[in-house]
Amino acid sequence: MDADEADRYRAPALDKGLDILELLASVEEGLTQAEIAKRLDRSPNEFYRMLDRLVRRGYVTKLEGDRFTLTLKLFGLSQLHAPARRLASFAMPLMRDLAQRTRQANHLVVFDRGSAVVIAQHEAPNYWGISIRVGSHMSLLETGSGHVLLAFRTDEEREMMIAEHARDPKAKRPGPEFYQRLSDIRERGYEKMPSAQTAGVHNLSAPILGPDGRVIAALTCPYIGLVNAPDAPDIDGTIVMLQQAARDLSLLAGSDVKITG
């Protein structure tokens, strides 16, 4: 395509929006409207409406001091696109093996726009168990999957995720004890908690890490005691197997980071 043909298909407004997103992705502390204009060699007035639309659509947020920074919306969208499908495809044999060895169901969860979203699921091998439908949106603050997705991100990313979650009118802001819990999860390498939705179920969740050491998904087992299967692994044995499966998946995702536990 020559220069004349390239100019014919230009979309100036789209180019301007993409320029802003690419610029904000390259900085950590955010930029003011004037700083954005200076770096892109444009007039500040050119970016007022574009920034307003990006904020209203949730791709950019405004911080104290009138500084703009990216939200995690693009990250969330990418999780549900091809990489997430590839991850689910890689995960299914490991999830099948985990279900067979633990006698428990398990599912794979990613972050998307304020929620923990199930992208893959494997049933328990016996005639009953607890399973979560693929596509289900769950709370970040009240599930083992959500806790793990928050615990293994940077402080800044975690606050953005919680801020997106808090846009739900029913959501509540976490207190100091919640952040301490996330610290404990990161230290031991997994979450173990009674289900906030179903009596008798314990959520066991471990992180799947990417090459940069950040969590890209959570592998979760809704553990139930099997009184009719005395040879089935207990909850501690299930945690060991869950963590090993998460480590194996992390290696498939390209991570060489050691997960505690």
Side-chain angles (χ1 to χ4, degrees):
M1 183 181 293
D2 59 29
D4 290 340
E5 191 172 357
D7 285 342
R8 185 188 316 162
Y9 295 108
R10 286 183 66 237
L14 177 59
D15 285 337
K16 194 180 300 182
L18 293 174
D19 286 343
I20 293 172
L21 293 176
E22 290 173 358
L23 174 61
L24 292 178
S26 69
V27 298
E28 294 185 3
E29 67 280 1
L31 296 169
T32 66
Q33 183 178 333
E35 289 170 336
I36 292 171
K38 183 177 181 180
R39 294 204 186 193
L40 296 177
D41 196 24
R42 301 282 188 89
S43 163
N45 291 335
E46 290 186 58
F47 293 105
Y48 176 79
R49 290 176 62 188
M50 183 60 66
L51 281 168
D52 179 70
R53 295 313 306 164
L54 289 171
V55 169
R56 289 179 183 274
R57 293 293 296 269
Y59 291 96
V60 172
T61 190
K62 196 172 184 180
L63 306 174
E64 290 184 16
D66 291 333
R67 305 183 76 80
F68 295 90
T69 188
L70 290 184
T71 69
L72 291 180
K73 185 171 184 178
L74 284 172
F75 171 77
L77 290 174
S78 72
Q79 295 296 292
L80 294 182
H81 196 45
R85 290 199 296 271
R86 286 199 297 272
L87 177 61
S89 177
F90 287 142
M92 284 310 296
L94 288 170
M95 295 171 68
R96 184 182 307 114
D97 179 67
L98 179 63
Q100 290 290 336
R101 290 190 296 117
T102 62
R103 316 271 188 97
Q104 305 283 340
N106 60 77
H107 51 273
L108 192 65
V109 182
V110 299
F111 173 78
D112 178 50
R113 288 168 284 182
S115 296
V117 182
V118 179
I119 62 168
Q121 184 268 343
H122 203 287
E123 300 280 356
N126 296 329
Y127 57 85
W128 76 284
I130 302 294
S131 61
I132 310 295
R133 290 193 305 271
V134 171
S136 296
H137 285 62
M138 304 182 296
S139 169
L140 279 180
L141 307 186
E142 297 178 351
T143 62
S145 300
H147 291 181
V148 163
L149 292 172
L150 289 169
F152 292 86
R153 301 295 295 187
T154 66
D155 291 344
E156 182 181 31
E157 290 166 338
R158 184 182 303 132
E159 285 309 308
M160 288 183 181
M161 294 166 75
I162 291 174
E164 290 191 40
H165 172 79
R167 290 176 185 168
D168 182 342
K170 298 179 182 178
K172 58 182 180 180
R173 294 289 302 188
E177 68 283 353
F178 181 78
Y179 289 93
Q180 181 59 53
R181 185 179 192 94
L182 297 184
S183 179
D184 293 342
I185 292 168
R186 191 178 184 99
E187 178 68 23
R188 67 175 175 260
Y190 65 89
E191 171 65 303
K192 171 187 174 183
M193 60 176 282
S195 170
Q197 292 78 33
T198 307
V201 176
H202 277 78
N203 292 330
L204 312 178
S205 189
I208 297 165
L209 304 180
D212 60 359
R214 293 184 175 123
V215 64
I216 56 176
L219 181 61
T220 297
C221 170
Y223 179 90
I224 54 175
L226 300 174
V227 296
N228 63 339
D231 59 336
D234 62 12
I235 193 167
D236 292 328
T238 299
I239 290 171
V240 171
M241 295 178 188
L242 176 72
Q243 285 192 280
Q244 185 58 59
R247 291 189 189 101
D248 292 343
L249 264 174
S250 295
L251 290 174
L252 286 175
S255 175
D256 60 0
V257 178
K258 185 181 187 319
I259 305 173
T260 306

